[in-house]
Amino acid sequence: MLTTSNPPDNSSNIDVLIVGAGFGGLYALHKMRECGFTARVLEAGDDVGGTWYWNRYPGCRCDVESIHYSYQFDEDLQQEWVWSERYATQPELLSYIQHVADRFDLRKDITFNTRVTAATWQEDKACWQVETESGETVRAKYCIMATGPLSVPNMPDFPGLDSFTGDTYHTGLWPHEGVDFTGKRVAIIGTGSSAIQSIPLIAEQADQLTVFQRTANYAVPAANRPMNPGELEAVKAEYAELRTRGKNFPTAIPVTPSGPSALAVSDEERERVFEEWWQDKGLMFQAAFADLLFVDEANDAVSDFVRGKIRSIVEDSSVAEILVPKNPFGCKRMCVDTDYYKTFNRDNVSLVNVKDTPIDRIVPGGVLVGGTTYEADAVIFATGYDAMTGALSKMHICGRDGLVLTDKWHEGPSSFLGLTVHGFPNMFTINGPGSPSALVNMVTGCEHHVEWIADCLTHLRDTGSAAIEAEKPAEEAWVEHSREVGNASLRSACDSWYLGANIPGKPRVFMPYLGGFPAYAEKCDSVAKDGYSGFAIT
Ligand code: N01
């Protein structure tokens, strides 16, 4: 029995064990059932939702438009669901995922409040033995790790943290009941996407907000708004076609750059395009010209445009200069904002640059930097995640011949297609390192992986095969190809979570695949069509 509330009765006989009940895990469960496999999901939280279950900080919403950031596998679902805003809030996304779980009767095969701690390949039985925090054991022929690329919060080891007398929060583990900062002095550490979304709202509520910034980030206006009358209906009238078209774009989001190069147009035209895209395109501003993330001079142009915007919004020029990013545009993941820079014009908001003078320690009454204590009643850690490998590394995953995944990956993750790992038969990762993952529309990425895995398992069943495993040369070739593609982009030009640089001691490897969704999907297709070339099937 796994939990008292939801006990599986045939745990040792299931075909597919899925870890995680976010977008990837839920669709995996639905698809596996549809293909006639028995499947079960183990989920650490007490409900479905993954990212959208855990991230409940003020202002949390998706930066991919709702019409794209949603499932496309079921026409009735996409026709019936009504999005209220261009970019859905976390509560709206969570209710969408809950609706999907109910609509497809998924909950009966999900065991909540159950964290997986270990998975061991049993060669003699050709199955995975999976263990949970409560000491339960589940066996399954196949294991799908739908654990999310950004699901393990990074909590820097600040000295003195335990001495703090106020409340502490991490944006990725926000209290379900919400937090009222009225009358409070709040400190927030970090200026990535989570901080940039939450700072304007916390500033409106708190007495005083102190922002501790180590690296200035690029943020562009989200341009969020309620859906216009008739807008959703127009999308739905051609939804299937829109979805198909989306898959032809590198990000799996159908946005066509205004031109191939920012350098091929006059200064006036470039400025006009940047301004137009700045006003309305949100995250897709980065696609205003096709070469912004590849050619230094084009990148300089867009970097300078955004720097100019920051200087024009922030009234205190010394504050503006701290907020102006020094990195190339897009090498850290771009952020979208609603009134982020404007918030620094408020009297109750101050900015502390901790780049050259890092945080010394947390003290009982606040945060100590360079001998000054910034007093706080609450400290928010908006310090990000152990990305891409964090959740997989937290479990003790032991493959063939006793090979432990963290040992194999001690110099950085390697995989074939970001889906499978040599030495770990019958194990699949959804949005794993080596796949496009967070560089594309994540829901499309999840669906693509699940459908590839479903076809693969069906093939194994149809051919009476027991196990599939990525071959070493195929994995090495994929790692090398991913490295080459990654080096061609300016995204790898600075420290970021893409590279694991935000976690002390983590090897520096650019983890998401940068070749774009169409090339990636084509490679996955051709491997399958070739009878799973690059895999050993036994
Ligand atoms: O985390 P981050 P995030 N001292 O890693 C700072 C997705 N997402 O949760 O840059 C001081 O980006 C760190 O500083 P530095 C999206 O993919 C999407 O904000 O390492 N500061 C940085 O400023 C995103 O990229 C959405 O120098 C320290 C911050 O903490 C990803 O999640 C919304 C520090 C961490 O920023 C992660 O975003 C939210 C230290 N010791 C998230 N350690 C949307 O869809 C870390 N920092 C809109």
Side-chain angles (χ1 to χ4, degrees):
M1 193 165 95
L2 281 175
T3 69
T4 49
S5 60
N6 197 7
D9 54 8
N10 60 347
S11 58
S12 56
N13 296 320
I14 59 171
D15 295 319
V16 188
L17 183 92
I18 300 155
V19 186
F23 268 105
L26 284 191
Y27 182 45
L29 173 58
H30 175 68
K31 189 74 190 169
M32 294 306 136
R33 276 188 193 165
E34 202 177 61
C35 294
F37 295 106
T38 51
R40 177 162 292 280
V41 176
L42 302 183
E43 164 58 49
D46 68 8
D47 199 0
V48 298
T51 288
W52 305 106
Y53 169 89
W54 297 104
N55 280 266
R56 298 172 189 241
Y57 59 83
C60 180
R61 66 171 75 237
C62 190
D63 56 10
V64 175
E65 287 183 67
S66 317
I67 56 164
H68 302 305
Y69 191 89
S70 46
Y71 289 121
Q72 56 186 288
F73 70 84
D74 187 273
E75 182 60 17
D76 291 342
L77 169 66
Q78 69 179 6
Q79 286 296 333
E80 285 165 29
W81 185 263
V82 178
W83 294 109
S84 66
E85 289 179 80
R86 187 179 183 194
Y87 299 96
T89 58
Q90 174 272 331
E92 190 165 6
L93 278 159
L94 187 58
S95 53
Y96 170 75
I97 303 173
Q98 288 168 335
H99 167 78
V100 171
D102 295 335
R103 185 181 183 112
F104 297 100
D105 196 16
L106 300 177
R107 289 175 195 276
K108 68 179 182 205
D109 287 324
I110 305 173
T111 309
F112 294 106
N113 299 309
T114 301
R115 187 174 288 281
V116 170
T117 52
T120 308
W121 173 246
Q122 306 210 307
E123 186 77 25
D124 52 337
K125 302 188 186 79
C127 76
W128 282 94
Q129 178 171 303
V130 172
E131 276 149 51
T132 71
E133 207 162 47
S134 56
E136 311 291 345
T137 299
V138 186
R139 285 191 195 86
K141 195 167 176 190
Y142 305 103
C143 193
I144 300 179
M145 297 297 184
T147 44
L150 294 158
S151 54
V152 174
N154 167 40
M155 192 64 187
D157 191 14
F158 291 114
L161 183 55
D162 288 346
S163 71
F164 184 60
T165 53
D167 298 318
T168 58
Y169 306 94
H170 191 288
T171 47
L173 294 171
W174 203 257
H176 288 202
E177 63 281 11
V179 184
D180 185 357
F181 291 115
T182 307
K184 298 264 165 76
R185 296 163 305 171
V186 180
I188 184 164
I189 300 174
T191 50
S193 294
S194 304
I196 283 174
Q197 285 188 324
S198 55
I199 281 169
L201 294 173
I202 296 170
E204 277 174 17
Q205 196 179 58
D207 229 28
Q208 186 188 314
L209 178 65
T210 311
V211 178
F212 295 85
Q213 174 193 278
R214 189 165 66 182
T215 309
N217 249 320
Y218 291 89
V220 303
N224 186 40
R225 52 169 171 72
M227 294 302 259
N228 292 326
E231 186 179 3
L232 200 52
E233 291 70 17
V235 166
K236 288 178 178 180
E238 52 148 32
Y239 224 149
E241 196 266 331
L242 180 69
R243 299 292 204 173
T244 306
R245 207 150 46 82
K247 291 180 189 163
N248 295 324
F249 289 78
T251 53
I253 301 167
V255 174
T256 307
S258 71
S261 173
L263 308 173
V265 296
S266 66
D267 292 354
E268 295 72 27
E269 174 60 5
R270 190 185 313 120
E271 206 66 8
R272 189 196 66 74
V273 171
F274 283 157
E275 183 63 37
E276 188 183 308
W277 285 59
W278 172 268
Q279 294 298 340
D280 186 53
K281 290 290 200 288
L283 186 69
M284 286 296 107
F285 173 77
Q286 63 191 5
F289 292 97
D291 61 350
L292 297 182
L293 300 178
F294 296 94
V295 176
D296 284 336
E297 293 78 5
N299 191 277
D300 289 346
V302 72
S303 302
D304 284 344
F305 177 85
V306 181
R307 289 169 184 145
K309 283 288 183 192
I310 298 167
R311 291 184 177 112
S312 73
I313 299 168
V314 180
E315 289 159 5
D316 181 329
S317 60
S318 61
V319 175
E321 286 318 307
I322 299 171
L323 289 167
V324 163
K326 317 302 180 275
N327 289 321
F329 172 87
C331 71
K332 275 180 185 288
R333 190 180 186 280
M334 213 187 80
C335 306
V336 296
D337 78 288
T338 301
D339 296 338
Y340 174 64
Y341 293 115
K342 217 168 108 186
T343 297
F344 291 91
N345 296 336
R346 293 178 67 104
D347 291 340
N348 69 335
V349 175
S350 53
L351 180 66
V352 181
N353 185 356
V354 294
K355 182 83 177 168
D356 300 325
T357 312
I359 292 170
D360 292 318
R361 57 189 298 112
I362 308 292
V363 292
V367 180
L368 182 71
V369 181
T372 303
T373 298
Y374 296 88
E375 291 182 357
D377 306 307
V379 178
I380 300 168
F381 296 90
T383 43
Y385 298 89
D386 183 355
M388 306 289 297
T389 56
L392 296 164
S393 302
K394 262 186 103 172
M395 296 177 280
H396 184 79
I397 301 179
C398 187
R400 201 165 35 73
D401 302 328
L403 179 64
V404 176
L405 188 65
T406 44
D407 290 341
K408 169 160 174 143
W409 283 0
H410 79 280
E411 286 183 356
S414 54
S415 74
F416 184 34
L417 304 175
L419 265 165
T420 57
V421 183
H422 173 65
F424 297 82
N426 289 8
M427 186 184 90
F428 301 88
T429 52
I430 294 185
N431 286 322
S435 75
S437 179
L439 295 182
V440 305
N441 178 353
M442 289 280 282
V443 185
T444 308
C446 288
E447 287 185 303
H448 171 257
H449 270 183
V450 167
E451 285 161 17
W452 191 95
I453 295 166
D455 287 347
C456 175
L457 300 196
T458 304
H459 172 80
L460 296 178
R461 182 177 58 196
D462 292 350
T463 54
S465 309
I468 185 165
E469 181 184 342
E471 289 177 320
K472 199 166 176 226
E475 182 173 290
E476 285 171 350
W478 183 251
V479 169
E480 180 53 23
H481 166 66
S482 303
R483 199 185 56 77
E484 275 171 19
V485 174
N487 286 346
S489 164
L490 296 169
R491 283 197 197 266
S492 49
C494 68
D495 287 350
S496 69
W497 62 254
Y498 296 140
L499 274 164
N502 62 329
I503 304 294
K506 191 164 171 171
R508 301 276 176 108
V509 171
F510 196 90
M511 294 179 283
Y513 176 67
L514 256 165
F517 186 80
Y520 175 75
E522 198 181 311
K523 172 71 181 170
C524 294
D525 279 355
S526 78
V527 164
K529 279 194 193 114
D530 268 4
Y532 295 91
S533 53
F535 287 96
I537 296 182
T538 50

